[in-house]
Each structure stands twice: as structure tokens, then as C-alpha cells.
Amino acid sequence: MDWLQAIVLGIVQGLTEFLPISSSAHVSIVGQLFFEGKDPGAAFTAVTQLGTETAVLVYFRKDIWRILTQWFGSLRGTVDRSDPDARMGWLVIIGSIPIVVLGLLFQDAIDTTLRNLWITVAMLAGVAIILAIADKFGERNTKDLKQLTWRDGLLFGLFQAAALIPGVSRSGATISGGLFLGYDRPAATRYSFLLAIPAVFGSGLYRLKDIGGDASAAWGPTVVATVLSFFIGYAVIAWLIRYVSTHNFRIFVLYRLAIAAVVAVLLLTGVLAAA
């Protein structure tokens, strides 16, 4: 991987991580076009996500600090466990369990079989339909995060775990699940950001050991891509939070269907390799 490729992939990661269009799919597709058919790899994708997730920490720093303070207080017994922020800390932990367990159990498949671009095409199109249904279903939803239950926290986590398959989209799966559970768009979107923090940081830090061992993922370019993804990701978070308060997800549904069709054509014509 050279510096230009790293810059392009860092920009792609930053632009797509928080939108319900699958950053891993875009990094894989753009990476193959740049690397003449070679996927940048799961390790590179996971590590560059550290940049975008750091943007979440910075953007939601006040909320996260408050949640952590109250959660630790609940451990010490100085804060009641029913406190909304303390509960949110526990709910994020519980919601993170499914993706951690499934990620470890299916790591080999995630690194190989599930990165087949035909699977990515199917997920891009399939989740687009699910997102469209969820968006319509949730038009009149009124539940906010203060009403988040333990059951729903775990279900959110199961939806998030689907994003282990490239093309699904962590935010797309989590937001769709939240809409089906009755939460409004801002609540589902906000919780998808918070829920991703442990999973993304855990995956990225775990994958650090694999950087530098692959010619397509050297340390220097990976660091550049990660830093770029932070700055662009921060801007995307700010935009998306405002967008979902007054808009639906129709534009993302149409985009997913369009990109799925384009990738299918590129695969059929031999421009891209499926695996």
C-alpha cells in the first residue's frame, strides 16, 4: 500500500463509517480498484476504524464522561444503578457482548469467506430493503434512550453483530433494529454511536498486531489513513446527527441499491474479483 492509496482509503473510511452504507464494503471495493484486485484486508479496515471511533469519543465526550462517571459510581455504590447514565453504561456493555463473542467465533470466516464481494453485493441490497421497511415502520416512533430496556439493549447488540459481514453496515443494522423496536431515528442513531465504541476499539486494538505483517497494510500508510478517517468522521457525525432529526433514510436506501448494482456489474465484467 502506498501513501496515495492510504489517503484515499482513509477518506473513504471517514465518509462511510457512520452512514448506513457499510464502510467495510466501500474500503474493500475501493481497495480492490486501487490494488488491482487485492482487498486491503480486515486488519487494515479494523485499525482505520480506530480513527473514526476516536471521533465518536471526541464528539460525545461530555455524554461519555457523564456515563462513565455514573457507571463507576454505581460500582462503588455511590450512584443508584437505576440512574439513566449508569444504566446506559451497563446497557452498552451488555449490547457489546454479541459482537465480541461472534467476532471471535467466526474470525476466520470474517477474514476470508465473508469478504467475497458477491456476499457484499447481497448484503448491500438486502439491508437496503430492511432499512427501507424499518424507516417506514418507524415514522411515528416516539421512544427515546431513557426508555431503553435491558432486553432492547441486548437486541441492539445482536443487530450490531450482523455488521461483521461486509456490506451490512454497523449503523445500518443497529439503526434498523432500533426503529423496529420502536425508537425514533435520533435515539436509534445516537445509541448506534455509543454501542460501537467498545466493539470497534476492541477489534481495532486486537488487529494492531497484524499491521506491518502484510505488504498491503504497512504501519506508515495505515496511520495516515487512520488520522484522516478521524477528521472526516468527526464532520460526518455532526452532519448525520442534524440530518436524522428532520429526514428519513431513503437517500441511503437508494444509494445502497445503486452501489450494489454497480459492484455486481463490475464483478460480472471482470473489473473486480469476487474474492
Side-chain angles (χ1 to χ4, degrees):
M1 177 184 294
D2 61 31
W3 298 101
L4 176 60
Q5 292 165 343
I7 290 171
V8 170
L9 292 176
I11 292 172
V12 170
Q13 171 63 29
L15 287 173
T16 60
E17 172 66 17
F18 303 114
L19 304 180
I21 57 177
S22 181
S23 62
S24 58
H26 282 75
V27 170
S28 178
I29 293 163
V30 174
Q32 283 208 40
L33 291 173
F34 265 75
F35 302 155
E36 299 180 351
K38 188 174 182 182
D39 189 324
F44 175 85
T45 301
V47 172
T48 54
Q49 286 175 340
L50 291 176
T52 44
E53 209 56 37
T54 301
V56 174
L57 292 182
V58 175
Y59 189 88
F60 292 105
R61 60 191 179 278
K62 293 181 180 179
D63 292 346
I64 293 170
W65 178 253
R66 189 178 64 252
I67 290 169
L68 286 174
T69 300
Q70 296 301 91
W71 181 76
F72 278 114
S74 73
L75 290 180
R76 294 192 301 267
T78 58
V79 174
D80 193 292
R81 290 194 178 186
S82 64
D83 176 87
D85 290 317
R87 286 184 70 254
M88 180 58 69
W90 287 110
L91 286 165
V92 168
I93 292 171
I94 290 173
S96 299
I97 293 173
I99 198 169
V100 172
V101 173
L102 294 173
L104 291 173
L105 287 176
F106 297 101
Q107 181 179 333
D108 289 342
I110 293 166
D111 289 348
T112 55
T113 307
L114 293 179
R115 295 186 73 82
N116 184 291
L117 282 184
W118 280 117
I119 294 178
T120 299
V121 168
M123 293 300 102
L124 284 168
V127 175
I129 296 170
I130 293 172
L131 180 60
I133 296 171
D135 199 29
K136 185 66 176 177
F137 182 87
E139 283 183 349
R140 298 185 180 181
N141 287 0
T142 58
K143 290 171 66 175
D144 60 26
L145 293 185
K146 292 180 181 178
Q147 297 169 274
L148 187 62
T149 64
W150 299 105
R151 167 187 167 274
D152 288 354
L154 184 58
L155 289 174
F156 262 108
L158 290 171
F159 288 120
Q160 178 183 235
L164 291 168
I165 307 173
V168 169
S169 168
R170 187 187 311 276
S171 61
T174 311
I175 291 170
S176 294
L179 292 172
F180 280 126
L181 291 172
Y183 295 88
D184 61 26
R185 294 189 188 101
T189 302
R190 195 176 190 86
Y191 189 60
S192 75
F193 286 134
L194 297 175
L195 186 59
I197 293 172
V200 173
F201 272 105
S203 174
L205 293 173
Y206 177 73
R207 290 290 192 165
L208 283 174
K209 62 181 174 53
D210 299 322
I211 299 298
D214 186 331
S216 69
W219 269 106
T222 301
V223 170
V224 168
T226 303
V227 171
L228 272 173
S229 73
F230 164 79
F231 288 105
I232 296 172
Y234 186 92
V236 172
I237 293 172
W239 175 82
L240 186 61
I241 290 294
R242 292 193 302 270
Y243 180 87
V244 298
S245 64
T246 55
H247 296 77
N248 58 35
F249 293 109
R250 188 175 298 113
I251 187 174
F252 302 117
V253 171
L254 296 175
Y255 177 82
R256 290 182 68 105
L257 292 173
I259 198 68
V262 169
V263 175
V265 170
L266 293 176
L267 286 168
L268 291 171
T269 55
V271 176
L272 288 176

